[in-house]
C-alpha cells in the first residue's frame, strides 16, 4: 500500500490499546452486577434463586468448554466425566463425615487432581480421536459408579447430609457458592487470556503449527486449559448436586451435558470471551420454554447447533462484535491509527497484534 | 473351558465390532473426519430395516438390502449437504456438526419409535437359534459365525476395492491429496460422497446385525460409536486388518470382563482401550519406533 518511508510514519502513528471507554464501563458494570447478585436469595423467591443457580452452572460449563475448544482447539465430548466426579466426589466425602459444603470444595479440587494424569493420556490424541477418547474416559467413571452399591449404583443417591440445614439456608448457601465459583471461573479465564499465556493460547487457537513454530509451548498451554476446564466442570457437578439434591449416574455422566456445552458455545460464539455467557443465557431461556417437549427440544438444539456451525461459525457474539468492533471484556488488543479499528475480519489479527505488542515491550 | 468359551465368543463379538468400525475407519482414512454420528447412523439403519420388515412384510434379507440402498443415499447426502461445508471451515466444525447430527437422529428416532427396545431376532429364522455344540460348556452359534463371516467379507472386500478398482485408487489418491487428484481428473467431491455412502452402508449393516443378535433402541448409538472407535484405535488407525484385529481384542476383553462380572463387560473393553492409548498409542500393530 505505501512505500517504506510512509510505512514508518504510519507505524509511529499507531498505538496499541486494550481498554475502550465502552469495555471499561461494561466490565465495571459486570463486577457491579456480580456484587448485586449476592442479594438475590435475600430479596427474591426461592424459585428465582434455584433458577439462577442453574443459570450460573450453565455459564460455568459453557465458559469451560469454550476454553478447551475455543482456545485449545480441543473438542471434548467427555467433560461430563468431571461433572460426575464433582458430584459423586461430594457424596463420597460427605459420607466420610465431612461438612457437605466443605466436601463440595474438596470434590472440586479432586476433579482437578484427576484431570492431571488424564491430560497425559488424552492429550496424546487430537481432533476427533481426542473427542471420543475423552468420552470413553467419562464412560469409565459412569460404569465404576454404577458398580458401587455404596454410591447408589445405577439408581442414584441424594446428598442427605445437606438436610442438616433448613431449605431456605441451603438454597442460599448453594446459590452463593455457585455465584462465587462462577465469578472466580470467569475472572480466572479473563485474567488468563490477558496474560502472556493468553496470547499463546489465542495463537494456538488460530494456528497450532504456526504457534509451535514461533516457540509457543502448545502442549503445556493445552494441559493448563484442560486442567482448568476439568476443575470448573467439577465445580459445576458439585453445584448441580447441591441444587437438585439427587443425582443418577445416567444423567450426571450423560453426554447431554456436552450437547448443551456445544450448543451454548456455538450459538454464543466459539473462541470469544463473552459468547458462551450469551449462549448460556439463551439455552437457559430455551430450557425454560421447551424442556417439556422432550425429544423435539433436543432435535431443535442439535439442528440449531449444526446451522450455527455451518452458517455462523463465529456465533452471535463473534459476528456482532466483529462487525461493530466491540469487545466488552477485552482479552485482545486493538490497534488504533489504522484505517479501521477493532478486530480484523478473520479474527486472526488480535492474536498477531498481541504478539507484536509483546515483542515491542 | 469357560475361558476358552469366553475367548471364542469374544472373537465372534469382535467380528461384529470390526464390521461396525470399518466405516468409521474408511471415513477417517479418506476424508480425515471422525463421524460422531456413526453409531446413530448404525441404529438408524437397524430401525429402517425393522420398519421395512414390519410394514411391508418382506423377508428380512430383502428389507435389509432395501435399507442398505437407502442408507447409501443417506451417506451420500450427508457428505454433500453437511460434511462438505463442514470440511471447508477447518477441523473443528465437522466434529461439532456430526455430534449435532447424532443428537438429531437419536431424538428423531425417540419421537418416532418411543424408547422401547426392538429386535430383528424373530425375523432372522433358524440362524438366530442354531448352534454347534462342541462340549458341554462350549458351543458356537451360527449367528456368531455368520456375522464374523460377513465382517471378514466386508473388510476383505473393502481392502480389495481400495487396492484394485479404479474408484478405490481414486479414493486413495483423494485421501492423500485432493487437489493433485483433481489435476489428474478425479472428481474429489464425488469420491468423498461415495466413500461416505459406503461407510454409512457398513454402519447400517452392523446396526441390523446388532438388532438381530440383541436389541436396539433409539439411544443405542453412542455406545456403538464408542465400541467402533475403540476397535479402530486398538488396531491402529488407517489399517482395515488392524481394525479386524482391534475388534477381536475388544470383543475378547469384553467377554472375559463379563466372565469376571457380567456388569463389567464394557468396562473391561474401555480399560484395554485406555491401556493401548497409554502404552501403544499407534495401535497394537504399530512398531514401537514408529510412534509419533
Amino acid at each position: 500500500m505505501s512505500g517504506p518511508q510512509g510505512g514508518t510514519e504510519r507505524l509511529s502513528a499507531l498505538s496499541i490499546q486494550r481498554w475502550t471507554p465502552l469495555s471499561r464501563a461494561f466490565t465495571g458494570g459486570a463486577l457491579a452486577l456480580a456484587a448485586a447478585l449476592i442479594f438475590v436469595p435475600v430479596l427474591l423467591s426461592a424459585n428465582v434463586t434455584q433458577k439462577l443457580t442453574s443459570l450460573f452452572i450453565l455459564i460455568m460449563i459453557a465458559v469451560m468448554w469454550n476454553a478447551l475448544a475455543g482456545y485449545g482447539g480441543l473438542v471434548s465430548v467427555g467433560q461430563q466425566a468431571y461433572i460426575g466426579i464433582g458430584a459423586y466426589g461430594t457424596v463420597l466425602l460427605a459420607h466420610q463425615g465431612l461438612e457437605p459444603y466443605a466436601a463440595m470444595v474438596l470434590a472440586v479440587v479432586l476433579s482437578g487432581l484427576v484431570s492431571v494424569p488424564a491430560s497425559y493420556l488424552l492429550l496424546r490424541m487430537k481432533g476427533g480421536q481426542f473427542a471420543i477418547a475423552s468420552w470413553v474416559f467419562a464412560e469409565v467413571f459412569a460404569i465404576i459408579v454404577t458398580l458401587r452399591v455404596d454410591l447408589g449404583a445405577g439408581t442414584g443417591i441424594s446428598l442427605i447430609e445437606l438436610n442438616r440445614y433448613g431449605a431456605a439456608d441451603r438454597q442460599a448457601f448453594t446459590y452463593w457458592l455457585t455465584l462465587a465459583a462462577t465469578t472466580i471461573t470467569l475472572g480466572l479465564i479473563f485474567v488468563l487470556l490477558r496474560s502472556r499465556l493468553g496470547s499463546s493460547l489465542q495463537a494456538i487457537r488460530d494456528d497450532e503449527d504456526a504457534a509451535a513454530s514461533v516457540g509457543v509451548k502448545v502442549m503445556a498451554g493445552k494441559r493448563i486449559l484442560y486442567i482448568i476446564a476439568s476443575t470448573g466442570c467439577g465445580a459445576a457437578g458439585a453445584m448441580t448436586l447441591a441444587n437438585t439434591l439427587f443425582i443418577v449416574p445416567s444423567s450426571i455422566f450423560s453426554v447431554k451435558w456436552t450437547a448443551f456445552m456445544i450448543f451454548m458455545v456455538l450459538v454464543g460464539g466459539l473462541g470469544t470471551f463473552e459468547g458462551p455467557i450469551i449462549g448460556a443465557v439463551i439455552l437457559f431461556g430455551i430450557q425454560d420454554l421447551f424442556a417439556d417437549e422432550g425429544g423435539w427440544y433436543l432435535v431443535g438444539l442439535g439442528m440449531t447447533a449444526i446451522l450455527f456451525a455451518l452458517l455462523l461459525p463465529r456465533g452471535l457474539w463473534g459476528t456482532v462484535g466483529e462487525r461493530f468492533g466491540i469487545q466488552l471484556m477485552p482479552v485482545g488488543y486493538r490497534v488504533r491509527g489504522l484505517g479501521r479499528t477493532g478486530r480484523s475480519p478473520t479474527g486472526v489479527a488480535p492474536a498477531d497484534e498481541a504478539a507484536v505488542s509483546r515483542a515491542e515491550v | 473351558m469357560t475361558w476358552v468359551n469366553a475367548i471364542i465368543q469374544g472373537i465372534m463379538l469382535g467380528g461384529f465390532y470390526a464390521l461396525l468400525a470399518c466405516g468409521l475407519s474408511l471415513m477417517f482414512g479418506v476424508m480425515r473426519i471422525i463421524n460422531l454420528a456413526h453409531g446413530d447412523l448404525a441404529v438408524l439403519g437397524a430401525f429402517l430395516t425393522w420398519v421395512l420388515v414390519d410394514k411391508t412384510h418382506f423377508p428380512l434379507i430383502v428389507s435389509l438390502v432395501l435399507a442398505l440402498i437407502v442408507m447409501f443415499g443417506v451417506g451420500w447426502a450427508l457428505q454433500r449437504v453437511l460434511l462438505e461445508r463442514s470440511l471447508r471451515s477447518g477441523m473443528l466444525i465437522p466434529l461439532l456438526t456430526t455430534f449435532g447430527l447424532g443428537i438429531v437422529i437419536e431424538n428423531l428416532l425417540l419421537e418416532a419409535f418411543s424408547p422401547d427396545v426392538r429386535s430383528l431376532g424373530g425375523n432372522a429364522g433358524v440362524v438366530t437359534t442354531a448352534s454347534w455344540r462342541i462340549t458341554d460348556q462350549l458351543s458356537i452359534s451360527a449367528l456368531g459365525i455368520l456375522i464374523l463371516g460377513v465382517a471378514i467379507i466386508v473388510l476383505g472386500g473393502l481392502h480389495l476395492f481400495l487396492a484394485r478398482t479404479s474408484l478405490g485408487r481414486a479414493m486413495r489418491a483423494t485421501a492423500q491429496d485432493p487437489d493433485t487428484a483433481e489435476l489428474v481428473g478425479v472428481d474429489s467431491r464425488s469420491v468423498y460422497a461415495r466413500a461416505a455412502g459406503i461407510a454409512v452402508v457398513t454402519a447400517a449393516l452392523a446396526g441390523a446385525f446388532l438388532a438381530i443378535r440383541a436389541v436396539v433402541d433409539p439411544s443405542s448409538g453412542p455406545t456403538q460409536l464408542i465400541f467402533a472407535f475403540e476397535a479402530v484405535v486398538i488396531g491402529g488407525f488407517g489399517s482395515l486388518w488392524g481394525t479386524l484385529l482391534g475388534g477381536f481384542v475388544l470383543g475378547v476383553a469384553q467377554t472375559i470382563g463379563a466372565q469376571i462380572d457380567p456388569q463389567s463387560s464394557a468396562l473391561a473393553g474401555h480399560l484395554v482401550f485406555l491401556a493401548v492409548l497409554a502404552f501403544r498409542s499407534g495401535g497394537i500393530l504399530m512398531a514401537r519406533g514408529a510412534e509419533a
Side-chain angles (χ1 to χ4, degrees):
Chain A
M1 262 164 56
S2 55
Q5 321 92 304
T8 351
E9 273 169 38
R10 281 195 169 211
L11 266 181
S12 58
L14 292 180
S15 66
I16 304 291
Q17 178 196 36
R18 176 159 253 172
W19 292 99
T20 61
L22 176 66
S23 66
R24 251 181 234 283
F26 186 85
T27 307
L31 286 173
L33 177 69
L37 281 169
I38 294 175
F39 299 102
V40 164
V42 188
L43 300 174
L44 297 171
S45 73
N47 188 29
V48 173
T49 310
Q50 185 173 19
K51 286 217 158 140
L52 277 180
T53 308
S54 48
L55 172 63
F56 295 158
I57 292 171
L58 286 181
I59 291 178
M60 209 155 32
I61 60 175
V63 169
M64 294 293 96
W65 196 84
N66 182 49
L68 273 181
Y71 292 98
L74 295 163
V75 174
S76 170
V77 187
Q79 286 309 101
Q80 65 271 20
Y82 298 99
I83 297 180
I85 292 172
Y88 274 98
T90 304
V91 172
L92 256 178
L93 292 165
H95 279 5
Q96 308 298 315
L98 215 66
E99 198 284 329
Y101 286 104
M104 275 187 227
V105 175
L106 264 184
V108 174
V109 176
L110 181 75
S111 311
L113 289 178
V114 171
S115 75
V116 176
S119 76
Y120 283 90
L121 195 61
L122 297 176
L123 291 180
R124 291 170 163 225
M125 306 211 121
K126 278 186 175 181
Q129 308 192 20
F130 170 79
I132 310 187
S134 63
W135 197 348
V136 172
F137 185 72
E139 286 296 302
V140 168
F141 282 96
I143 296 174
I144 290 173
V145 167
T146 34
L147 290 177
R148 290 199 50 171
V149 181
D150 62 328
L151 287 177
T155 52
I157 197 160
S158 53
L159 189 63
I160 41 167
E161 287 81 356
L162 267 187
N163 285 342
R164 72 172 77 154
Y165 302 104
D169 285 352
R170 193 169 64 209
Q171 194 100 71
F173 289 155
T174 304
Y175 173 89
W176 284 321
L177 202 56
T178 313
L179 179 64
T182 311
T183 315
I184 292 170
T185 309
L186 287 176
L188 183 70
I189 293 288
F190 187 62
V191 170
L192 184 78
L193 289 178
R194 291 165 58 93
S195 71
R196 185 183 182 83
L197 183 67
S199 308
S200 321
L201 294 175
Q202 297 186 44
I204 296 173
R205 169 196 66 183
D206 294 332
D207 188 334
E208 195 176 316
D209 294 331
S213 74
V214 294
V216 170
K217 294 193 178 68
V218 172
M219 191 47 103
K222 286 184 172 186
R223 178 159 296 126
I224 290 169
L225 283 176
Y226 184 79
I227 293 169
I228 293 176
S230 305
T231 314
C233 285
M239 308 304 161
T240 301
L241 170 67
N243 199 30
T244 58
L245 297 178
F246 179 75
I247 45 163
V248 188
S250 60
S251 80
I252 199 89
F253 286 107
S254 167
V255 75
K256 249 178 221 170
W257 287 107
T258 295
F260 292 153
M261 295 185 217
I262 291 180
F263 175 88
M264 293 184 283
V265 172
L266 274 179
V267 169
L270 183 71
T272 64
F273 182 81
E274 300 90 338
I277 305 171
I278 295 167
V281 174
I282 292 173
L283 179 67
F284 178 72
I286 294 175
Q287 278 188 338
D288 222 37
L289 292 173
F290 299 111
D292 302 334
E293 306 293 319
W296 289 118
Y297 151 71
L298 287 166
V299 171
L301 285 191
M303 298 278 261
T304 314
I306 293 174
L307 288 175
F308 266 92
L310 291 181
L311 305 175
L312 210 59
R314 295 183 56 76
L316 291 176
W317 184 254
T319 310
V320 170
E322 193 177 281
R323 178 154 306 161
F324 299 103
I326 16 175
Q327 271 200 313
L328 295 178
M329 304 276 285
V331 292
Y333 293 86
R334 306 157 64 91
V335 181
R336 285 178 66 94
L338 287 171
R340 176 175 172 242
T341 51
R343 293 171 75 93
S344 77
T346 57
V348 173
D352 294 345
E353 286 156 15
V356 167
S357 72
R358 292 285 172 203
E360 282 168 354
V361 170
Chain B
M1 198 48 108
T2 52
W3 297 105
V4 177
N5 187 43
I7 289 169
I8 289 173
Q9 305 304 333
I11 285 173
M12 290 192 293
L13 182 61
F16 167 73
Y17 288 144
L19 183 61
L20 189 64
C22 65
L24 193 69
S25 181
L26 181 70
M27 272 181 89
F28 182 76
V30 177
M31 289 161 261
R32 299 281 138 190
I33 288 181
I34 295 209
N35 176 12
L36 294 180
H38 188 79
D40 296 297
L41 287 164
V43 174
L44 179 64
F47 269 91
L48 190 57
T49 312
W50 183 84
V51 166
L52 286 169
V53 169
D54 194 52
K55 299 282 181 230
T56 64
H57 302 288
F58 287 151
L60 176 59
I61 182 77
V62 177
S63 303
L64 177 61
V65 170
L66 286 176
L68 293 184
I69 293 169
V70 174
M71 291 305 285
F72 183 84
V74 170
W76 179 289
L78 170 73
Q79 171 63 30
R80 278 293 167 93
V81 177
L82 197 66
L83 300 181
E84 210 173 271
R85 285 164 216 265
S86 305
L87 273 171
R88 269 185 245 137
S89 330
M91 296 320 290
L92 221 66
I93 299 298
L95 284 173
L96 303 177
T97 52
T98 55
F99 183 80
L101 178 70
I103 301 276
V104 169
I105 293 176
E106 181 180 331
N107 288 287
L108 281 178
L109 287 174
L110 193 67
E111 288 297 327
F113 298 101
S114 82
D116 296 346
V117 295
R118 320 267 157 163
S119 174
L120 288 167
N123 305 95
V126 69
V127 73
T128 46
T129 48
S131 64
W132 293 279
R133 218 178 153 84
I134 313 285
T135 67
D136 279 349
Q137 287 162 326
L138 193 67
S139 70
I140 296 176
S141 76
L143 184 60
I145 293 293
L146 175 71
I147 297 176
L148 180 58
V150 169
I152 292 173
I153 290 167
V154 168
L155 270 85
L158 270 181
H159 184 78
L160 285 178
F161 165 74
L162 288 172
R164 298 285 164 81
T165 66
S166 64
L167 178 56
R169 275 193 293 275
M171 235 169 240
R172 285 186 291 138
T174 313
Q176 283 188 357
D177 188 340
D179 295 334
T180 311
E182 291 266 359
L183 284 180
V184 294
V186 173
D187 178 2
S188 67
R189 286 182 68 207
S190 159
V191 165
Y192 278 163
R194 280 185 257 187
I198 295 170
V200 171
V201 165
T202 60
L205 181 61
F209 274 129
L210 176 67
I212 293 170
R213 55 173 278 269
V215 291
V216 289
D217 68 76
S219 58
S220 306
T223 316
Q224 301 308 313
L225 167 70
I226 287 177
F227 290 159
F229 177 75
E230 287 177 337
V232 174
V233 169
I234 293 172
F237 261 94
S239 149
L240 280 171
W241 295 121
T243 300
L244 185 63
L245 187 65
F248 289 156
V249 172
L250 179 66
V252 171
Q254 289 191 352
T255 47
I256 288 182
Q259 193 71 47
I260 298 165
D261 169 16
Q263 278 187 299
S264 347
S265 137
L267 181 63
H270 295 334
L271 293 179
V272 168
F273 162 77
L274 290 176
V276 169
L277 207 58
F279 300 111
R280 291 192 87 84
S281 54
I284 50 177
L285 279 186
M286 186 175 247
R288 268 209 161 257
E291 273 183 30

